[in-house]
Amino acid sequence: MTIVKNLTNFPFAAIIGQDEMKLALQLNVIDPKIGGVMIMGDRGTGKSTTIRALADLLPDILVIKNDPFNTDPQGLSKEYETESIKIPMVELPLGATEDRVCGTINLKEILAGGKSTFEPGLLARANRGILYVDEINLLDDHLVDVLLDSAASGWNTVEREGISIKHPAKFILVGSGNPEEGELRPQLLDRFGMHAEIRTIRDPKLRVKIVEERIHFDQSPQLWFEKYENEQQAIQNRLLTAQQNLKKVQISKEFQLKISEICSELEIEGLRGDIVSTRAAKALTAFENRLEVTVDDIQRTIILCLRHRLRRDPMESINSGEKILSVFQRIFSSEKI
């Protein structure tokens, strides 16, 4: 499948570093039920660039022509005119209102007997795609709650004056922010499947390489895409194969029990941590083109799945990632790591 190039966006295959963020995003593409990604890190670390690059990498989707909800025509009883479109990548403006996000019901039109009763919002546009919210930690908690509800259920419901309209809203929710500007409430953080932390690269040689690559890309984006075309195609094929093989991936009962032991020892509230850790390990297994989850698959994903679910203790000197890894290694000590 040919990749349609957006020459304003940096190619995903050319992004240097930030492996944790890239892995979390790709695993959510393989299994959207993981529940999205929260990316926290310093300004200017390529968060927006990476997310746009991933959206460009993904294959086109088939939709009903001119449909505001990007409806999949396959399996419908009625035949519609169709078209292929680039996978939707919707960026939520920081000052967006609930009406802009969810859509509005035109009560005046309804009372007048008209048909144009609903004006779709950003959730409709994001259906079957990616919804990206930069500086999500500055967004109103109620609006974050609305986004998380839609992402989890796959539906958006708008109610006004006793009138209710519901439409599909299946999307991968990606939020990003700078921790210096405040964190999300723990209740909201917990509902994100994964939490990636990114930091400014300190190695001077690597920084110079990143700067040079960006300058060269801006000077001749077409040549840059041609340079990475094979790598881009390989990543796309790998993701598509992983999506197809995900249902075949198996994880042993013993490993599932040990994941739950880790969550229990870390005092993770609820069962989201157990579920997401299992899903992420299976998605990584599929990404690696295997069908049996290994200890390494769990080790590479469990910190991403649990770090934002830990109870905050300001007196602790150990960071969340080290704490999870320590418990993981103790519980899996009998296994070959």
Side-chain angles (χ1 to χ4, degrees), residues 94-111:
L94 189 57
T97 62
E98 186 174 348
D99 282 350
R100 173 89 187 278
V101 173
C102 299
T104 56
I105 296 173
N106 192 331
L107 294 173
K108 195 182 221 181
E109 189 76 21
I110 292 173
L111 294 172

Side-chain angles (χ1 to χ4, degrees), residues 16-146:
I16 298 170
Q18 310 303 4
D19 293 335
E20 189 172 286
M21 170 173 59
K22 290 190 291 187
L23 178 63
L25 290 169
Q26 289 177 104
L27 295 184
N28 271 268
V29 168
I30 294 166
D31 183 3
K33 289 183 179 178
I34 286 172
V37 190
M38 180 67 177
I39 303 166
M40 295 298 280
D42 303 332
R43 288 181 290 272
T45 46
K47 297 186 288 288
S48 303
T49 298
T50 304
I51 295 156
R52 292 189 193 104
L54 179 68
D56 281 347
L57 183 71
L58 301 177
D60 291 358
I61 58 172
L62 189 68
V63 301
I64 295 173
K65 193 169 184 178
N66 299 323
D67 178 62
F69 307 106
N70 305 321
T71 303
D72 186 351
Q74 294 183 342
L76 297 180
S77 55
K78 184 179 174 183
E79 286 194 13
Y80 293 90
E81 190 178 355
T82 62
E83 62 180 337
S84 290
I85 64 167
K86 196 73 193 132
I87 191 166
M89 160 65 184
V90 177
E91 296 190 47
L92 186 78
L94 189 57
T97 62
E98 186 174 348
D99 282 350
R100 173 89 187 278
V101 173
C102 299
T104 56
I105 296 173
N106 192 331
L107 294 173
K108 195 182 221 181
E109 189 76 21
I110 292 173
L111 294 172
K115 293 182 180 178
S116 301
T117 58
F118 182 63
E119 184 67 36
L122 295 176
L123 293 182
R125 279 179 50 202
N127 188 36
R128 301 176 66 203
I130 298 171
L131 180 62
Y132 174 48
V133 189
D134 193 14
E135 298 187 273
I136 193 169
N137 47 331
L138 301 182
L139 204 63
D140 180 72
D141 278 354
H142 169 66
L143 209 46
V144 176
D145 222 7
V146 169

Side-chain angles (χ1 to χ4, degrees), residues 15 38 74 81 99 113 125 135 137 139 149 198 258 272 275 279 283 299 328 334:
I15 293 170
M38 180 67 177
Q74 294 183 342
E81 190 178 355
D99 282 350
R125 279 179 50 202
E135 298 187 273
N137 47 331
L139 204 63
D149 281 343
I198 55 175
K258 289 190 174 185
R272 279 200 185 99
I275 294 167
R279 282 192 174 279
Q299 183 172 3
F328 169 86
S334 61

